[in-house]
Amino acid sequence: GSCVYEVRVRPPDLPPEDVGSSLVLSVQLPKRYPYIAPQIRLEDIEGLNKKQSRDLMKQIQNRAKECAEQGQEMVYDLVLVAEEFLLRHNRTPEEQRMSAWEQMKRREEEAAAKEEHTTSDHILGASYSSDEGTDDDDDHGYHRGSGTLRQSGNSGSGNQSQMDHMNGINSTTGL
């Protein structure tokens, strides 16, 4: 027979009262796992619409296919894909009760507050430097803001990286 894992997935790093989305990821491992991708089902989906659910399923299936091609075990990776997706698309229970107009106004206020905070960070002495003799097209340069940023708390580094990304700045460092 085959083994079935069912994992309750919710957005990571959020207090329980802010969690507005969750699901059960059901993964049925075939006999030739991990060389064959498992059968995957999303069950008890909360807080996602049908399009988001389809998009998530597509992302999970793509990751499973990539792992299977390399013969790499994948259940943990599939859970991480689901967690990240839920975190990006999470709406708190309070937001879910709000009208579309109220949600839009809240997002505008948050964006304005973030812009004000980012601008003040920039004024307070954010500086950029690059080595004069380096070629910007080299592959060993580190491009700020080009990765996935998962930030908890209010550390300034995430804001700096986001600001670099918004300004289109690629800083080459010695990393």
Side-chain angles (χ1 to χ4, degrees):
S2 59
C3 183
V4 176
Y5 288 97
E6 290 189 340
V7 182
R8 166 64 64 188
V9 183
R10 58 179 286 268
D13 305 326
L14 290 179
E17 64 272 11
D18 288 347
V19 173
S21 57
S22 66
L23 56 86
V24 172
L25 176 64
S26 176
V27 181
Q28 182 174 355
L29 305 181
K31 288 180 181 174
R32 295 195 45 230
Y33 174 83
Y35 302 99
I36 302 289
Q39 285 193 334
I40 300 163
R41 288 195 331 252
L42 303 179
E43 302 170 347
D44 299 331
I45 301 169
E46 296 176 18
L48 297 179
N49 61 35
K50 289 190 185 313
K51 181 189 181 319
Q52 290 169 328
S53 298
R54 282 192 305 270
D55 290 348
L56 173 57
M57 180 60 108
K58 202 175 298 181
Q59 287 181 25
I60 291 172
Q61 288 173 329
N62 287 342
R63 183 68 184 129
K65 183 179 174 199
E66 290 170 8
C67 290
E69 287 170 357
Q70 299 169 10
Q72 175 184 335
E73 293 180 357
M74 65 192 78
V75 175
Y76 180 74
D77 285 2
L78 303 182
V79 170
L80 289 179
V81 169
E83 281 182 344
E84 291 295 323
F85 189 93
L86 290 177
L87 185 61
R88 279 195 314 275
H89 294 88
N90 186 65
R91 289 177 32 227
T92 67
E94 178 189 349
E95 290 170 332
Q96 291 178 27
R97 289 188 296 271
M98 296 168 76
S99 70
W101 173 257
E102 291 169 322
Q103 290 176 39
M104 183 185 75
K105 292 310 254 179
R106 174 180 269 189
R107 282 193 300 270
E108 286 174 357
E109 289 168 7
E110 289 171 355
K114 188 175 189 178
E115 178 63 32
E116 186 176 303
H117 181 70
T118 308
T119 302
S120 66
D121 281 355
H122 187 66
I123 292 168
L124 292 173
S127 63
Y128 307 99
S129 63
S130 62
D131 297 333
E132 293 292 326
T134 53
D135 181 2
D136 286 342
D137 295 331
D138 63 22
D139 288 330
H140 62 269
Y142 174 74
H143 301 286
R144 294 177 61 136
S146 61
T148 301
L149 174 66
R150 195 165 90 186
Q151 177 183 1
S152 50
N154 290 326
S155 73
S157 63
N159 291 334
Q160 188 64 52
S161 180
Q162 290 167 357
M163 183 172 32
D164 291 351
H165 185 69
M166 287 188 301
N167 291 331
I169 294 170
N170 291 328
S171 302
T172 305
T173 65
L175 296 178

